[in-house]
Amino acid sequence: MATSAPDTVADGKAHGLKALSETVAADTDALADDRAEAVNAKHNRPLYESPPKIHPKQAKGRFRRIKWIVLFVTLGIYYLAPWVRWPRGEGIPDQAILVDFSERKFYFFFIEIWPQEFYYITGLLILAALGLFLVTSVFGRVWCGYTCPQTVWTDLFVQIERWIEGDRNKRIRLDQARWTLAKLAKRTAKHGLWLVVAVSTGGAWVFYFNDAPQLLGDLFAGTAPTPAYVSMGVLTATTYLLGGHAREQVCTYMCPWPRIQGAMFDENTLLVSYRWDRGEPRGRHKKGDSWEGRGDCIDCNQCVAVCPVGIDIRDGAQMECIQCALCIDACNDVMAKVGRPPNLIAYETINAPERRAQGDHSGIRLLRPRTLLYSALIAVVAGIMVAGLSTRATTDVNVLRDRNPVFVRLADGGIRNGYELKVLNKLHQERTFTIAVDGLPGVRLFNPVTREEGTVALTVPADSVGSVKLYVSLPKGHVTDGTLEDGSAAVDFVIRHDATDTRVVETMPFRGPN
């Protein structure tokens, strides 16, 4: 008998739904069979033997994409920043970011920090610490999960391993397989690429301390400074060891931040959490099973399989968790396959289950005492630094008085003191300063080199320090009229540059007989 069109469509839909159900059931069974043990969980961690190797599975989802973006951006900045140029003038380095030990200066685009201004570096470190405290108090250990160098380079090394040896199950089987030419080739290629990344990491670091293009040529020519080769060697070894081999052991045993970050958390901090009030009781789920009387967790352990530190997020908050959120991606993928709502594992606050039980579904509280305190401190420190940078002087003067002899008695009965005056010219242009003395009646200034008297000229190159030897003398009549009756008086050195409206006065003691 002929079948009508509506019946044919209905049969097709039924067949499609049946096939989809069978596919979901098969996927669920496969997930359940792919068991991953939380080998780095506290109750599984051996005390006196080498820990088992962790093979994280490839995760796919929103947080994995975010981590890739952060990885490319941070590594791009690290590797490319030394090659950015910033013109500053003739004879001055044009590298945008440069720590110049030979000249004892730190260049950062339009900012130039001299040794006596190191407090600006201190301010930047304070701002970085306070910013980390603020972000941690709101979003937990996002620094560890996304931007920590150990996390970024470990992600890169694991991805190289995945490209060559395959995903989790293939890597496990390769570890257990006997040595063959194929296994040797894969391991050689993997470690070779790891060393390339490690050498590039060490090489990029030394470029921050020398002119990058010149140093690159010197490194290949073998004429670079010895410290450059030593630094590259140390950083190559540490990157290869920590990113390729130590991995989660650095986060578990070496890093102090997991021990400190707990002080930044409160009940309103967002943490990657398993929603036990929705997931329990857990258990495997088969096709056709009812969801009544059980939780959404099908105990597939995919959250464990993708974890780069080898823990089970369902055990609750743990020091080892770096909050990378890959378990959220893995769990959401499983929930989509079994037809359950996403975010069984999600970013949520510590008190969220209690609030849900009370019917409170409000969002997180961003404005809390600790977040307000951290924000206020950041604003204060940033304000001080901005004010300091915007009002910083373009000229610094330092005067050193001769200590041996303390003074010299002249033939006419007068007294002479010797000084060395240094002028720091922070502008990127040459300047000629005029130097005079004031503050004592009859005081006279003399340059023993140029034989200038009264007013002395000092030319200081751009972005440099100029120095001059000076004699300051007081005639006999002024020595005996009480000016130096206690053996000391104050003299003012007046340094001027009229073109830039610069005037600096430095007061120094003038010594004589008691």
Side-chain angles (χ1 to χ4, degrees):
M1 184 173 65
T3 303
S4 65
D7 291 338
T8 303
V9 173
D11 290 342
K13 288 184 176 179
H15 179 73
L17 290 173
K18 180 181 178 181
L20 178 61
S21 299
E22 291 175 352
T23 300
V24 169
D27 288 341
T28 304
D29 291 340
L31 291 174
D33 291 338
D34 184 16
R35 308 294 293 177
E37 185 180 2
V39 295
N40 199 34
K42 186 176 182 181
H43 57 274
N44 286 334
R45 193 181 305 144
L47 295 179
Y48 301 106
E49 62 182 73
S50 299
K53 186 175 180 180
I54 296 173
H55 296 276
K57 184 179 180 180
Q58 174 72 69
K60 296 179 181 179
R62 176 175 58 179
F63 293 104
R64 179 64 267 182
R65 288 193 296 271
I66 293 174
K67 283 175 65 65
W68 284 131
I69 293 172
V70 172
L71 183 146
F72 286 121
V73 170
T74 53
L75 289 183
I77 293 173
Y78 175 74
Y79 287 120
L80 299 178
W83 301 91
V84 178
R85 302 292 100 182
W86 188 269
R88 297 186 177 93
E90 186 178 355
I92 304 173
D94 64 349
Q95 190 162 308
I97 303 175
L98 176 65
V99 181
D100 192 345
F101 280 130
S102 61
E103 297 294 330
R104 296 179 296 175
K105 297 172 189 174
F106 170 56
Y107 298 97
F108 186 81
F109 293 93
F110 63 91
I111 299 175
E112 180 180 339
I113 304 297
W114 291 69
Q116 63 270 30
E117 297 175 322
F118 194 78
Y119 48 83
Y120 288 117
I121 306 298
T122 304
L124 286 175
L125 294 176
I126 293 174
L127 281 178
L130 291 174
L132 183 58
F133 296 164
L134 176 61
V135 171
T136 302
S137 66
V138 177
F139 301 109
R141 292 175 61 184
V142 291
W143 161 261
C144 297
Y146 295 90
T147 55
C148 173
Q150 174 65 18
T151 299
V152 171
W153 265 279
T154 297
D155 266 359
L156 181 58
F157 275 52
V158 171
Q159 186 58 37
I160 291 173
E161 186 176 59
R162 189 177 290 120
W163 284 337
I164 296 174
E165 298 181 354
D167 208 355
R168 181 176 183 272
N169 291 336
K170 290 183 178 180
R171 297 202 303 276
I172 293 175
R173 287 195 295 268
L174 186 65
D175 280 353
Q176 297 170 348
R178 63 184 181 87
W179 281 95
T180 63
L181 288 177
K183 181 175 180 177
L184 179 62
K186 288 182 178 181
R187 290 294 164 87
T188 301
K190 178 181 74 173
H191 289 280
L193 286 178
W194 281 2
L195 283 172
V196 170
V197 173
V199 171
S200 301
T201 301
W205 178 253
V206 298
F207 291 150
Y208 284 91
F209 300 87
N210 295 271
D211 182 66
Q214 179 181 349
L215 180 60
L216 179 63
D218 293 343
L219 287 172
F220 282 104
T223 58
T226 300
Y229 292 106
V230 174
S231 300
M232 282 188 62
V234 171
L235 283 170
T236 297
T238 53
T239 303
Y240 174 76
L241 175 64
L242 300 183
H245 297 279
R247 295 185 181 176
E248 76 285 346
Q249 305 303 318
V250 175
C251 304
T252 303
Y253 299 110
M254 296 174 60
C255 181
W257 183 235
R259 283 94 181 154
I260 300 172
Q261 50 85 26
M264 313 297 161
F265 295 169
D266 59 24
E267 65 276 6
N268 289 292
T269 300
L270 277 174
L271 301 174
V272 175
S273 307
Y274 167 65
R275 291 176 170 173
W276 56 265
D277 53 335
R278 173 186 151 187
E280 301 296 325
R282 71 182 78 158
R284 295 182 65 176
H285 182 265
K286 295 290 186 178
K287 174 189 174 183
D289 289 349
S290 173
W291 291 95
E292 293 295 331
R294 56 156 295 157
D296 285 350
C297 180
I298 65 171
D299 204 19
C300 63
N301 276 24
Q302 291 304 291
C303 55
V304 180
V306 301
C307 181
V309 294
I311 63 169
D312 190 340
I313 192 64
R314 296 171 296 179
D315 292 338
Q318 299 161 72
M319 180 194 71
E320 296 79 15
C321 179
I322 62 173
Q323 303 282 299
C324 63
L326 296 181
C327 52
I328 298 179
D329 286 339
C331 188
N332 284 345
D333 186 50
V334 174
M335 290 295 103
K337 290 179 179 179
V338 299
R340 302 303 293 171
N343 295 328
L344 176 59
I345 302 174
Y347 272 105
E348 70 172 15
T349 62
I350 298 173
N351 61 5
E354 180 182 352
R355 290 193 291 109
R356 279 197 298 270
Q358 299 172 354
D360 181 7
H361 298 283
S362 59
I364 64 170
R365 292 176 52 219
L366 292 178
L367 300 180
R368 314 192 297 271
R370 69 175 59 225
T371 60
L372 292 174
L373 174 61
Y374 293 146
S375 300
L377 291 175
I378 290 174
V380 170
V381 175
I384 292 174
M385 290 191 62
V386 170
L389 286 171
S390 60
T391 59
R392 66 196 297 230
T394 59
T395 305
D396 278 347
V397 175
N398 187 24
V399 183
L400 301 175
R401 193 178 64 83
D402 292 349
R403 297 184 178 273
N404 186 21
V406 176
F407 68 92
V408 173
R409 174 77 71 174
L410 300 177
D412 62 358
I415 299 296
R416 187 185 72 192
N417 284 196
Y419 300 86
E420 183 179 8
L421 186 144
K422 296 183 178 181
V423 178
L424 171 59
N425 176 20
K426 297 181 183 179
L427 294 183
H428 297 159
Q429 62 187 45
E430 182 181 272
R431 290 193 289 174
T432 299
F433 297 88
T434 58
I435 305 170
V437 290
D438 198 3
L440 287 177
V443 67
R444 289 181 292 191
L445 181 67
F446 178 70
N447 183 341
V449 177
T450 63
R451 317 301 293 178
E452 293 176 278
E453 189 171 356
T455 299
V456 175
L458 175 62
T459 300
V460 184
D463 205 44
S464 299
V465 178
S467 62
V468 60
K469 181 68 177 179
L470 297 173
Y471 288 149
V472 177
S473 59
L474 202 61
K476 177 180 179 180
H478 294 283
V479 174
T480 58
D481 67 0
T483 301
L484 292 175
E485 62 183 23
D486 61 351
S488 178
V491 61
D492 294 332
F493 288 85
V494 182
I495 299 90
R496 302 177 61 92
H497 184 259
D498 295 333
T500 56
D501 196 25
T502 299
R503 184 178 185 273
V504 180
V505 177
E506 190 76 10
T507 301
M508 293 294 294
F510 183 90
R511 304 293 187 187
N514 189 351

